[in-house]
Amino acid sequence: MKSNGTNWRFVWQFSIIACVIALLFFCIQKMEWKMSGESDKVSADQFASFYLATPIYKLENLRGWGTCSYSETNPTGYIYFDCNEAPVLVDANLYEAGGDPIALSDKFLRQFGKKAWSLLHSSDLICIRMKEGTSGPRRFLLHNRKTTLYFFARL
């Protein structure tokens, strides 16, 4: 009977040591990942607040995501939302009408599937992009004028 108790104690000690080693390994990997400059996920609300001056409460059904690397201050990603009025962009003077709505529609269709089907009617699309010659990352707002659905991307 005594040897059976010793075996259980050995199993218990071995389990604790294995868990501690696994936890240590996980923490080291997480630290290396953060230091390597890889990206971290950003919620749709956070992503929208970087690029849209329109209050978040006016953006209904806000969906999407972004990623932000530790070397950048602004995330890249895609969002879509319903808005009864045209959203106000941060630094709106840096945008102009233009861009390739078909290529952008394709990107949004890959990201959001059926939700982006309204973008298939290219004659109804309004595309707003960063002005040519503007430094910084590319940003686009795409909208089918027959809906209240807007799509925004920072690529």
Side-chain angles (χ1 to χ4, degrees):
M1 198 73 157
K2 187 172 182 171
S3 65
N4 191 15
T6 305
N7 289 340
W8 280 110
R9 188 170 59 211
F10 173 74
V11 169
W12 179 249
Q13 289 172 345
F14 182 75
S15 320
I16 290 174
I17 291 171
C19 288
V20 168
I21 290 172
L23 184 62
L24 216 83
F25 180 74
F26 175 76
C27 290
I28 290 170
Q29 289 291 87
K30 186 76 171 169
M31 209 167 26
E32 286 176 1
W33 178 72
K34 282 192 174 191
M35 291 171 49
S36 71
E38 290 187 30
S39 56
D40 202 8
K41 229 168 175 30
V42 177
S43 72
D45 291 352
Q46 293 168 324
F47 185 80
S49 67
F50 275 101
Y51 302 110
L52 301 174
T54 302
I56 296 293
Y57 69 87
K58 290 187 176 184
L59 309 177
E60 299 173 12
N61 302 319
L62 178 61
R63 300 283 186 270
W65 60 88
T67 57
C68 191
S69 70
Y70 295 98
S71 60
E72 291 184 352
T73 55
N74 296 332
T76 60
Y78 301 86
I79 57 171
Y80 70 88
F81 53 90
D82 287 307
C83 193
N84 292 328
E85 55 193 46
V88 178
L89 297 163
V90 173
D91 299 326
N93 58 334
L94 299 178
Y95 292 85
E96 66 184 359
D100 185 358
I102 295 173
L104 282 172
S105 297
D106 186 51
K107 288 184 184 291
F108 285 115
L109 282 164
R110 283 191 214 140
Q111 295 296 324
F112 300 120
K114 290 181 181 179
K115 193 64 179 174
W117 280 3
S118 67
L119 300 176
L120 292 175
H121 306 285
S122 59
S123 60
D124 297 329
L125 295 181
I126 298 171
C127 184
I128 299 172
R129 66 172 179 190
M130 296 290 289
K131 289 181 181 176
E132 292 294 326
T134 305
S135 63
R138 298 176 304 152
R139 300 179 209 159
F140 300 93
L141 180 71
L142 199 56
H143 169 62
N144 182 329
R145 66 182 117 223
K146 293 184 178 179
T147 69
T148 59
L149 194 58
Y150 291 84
F151 294 83
F152 182 85
R154 187 235 184 207
L155 308 174

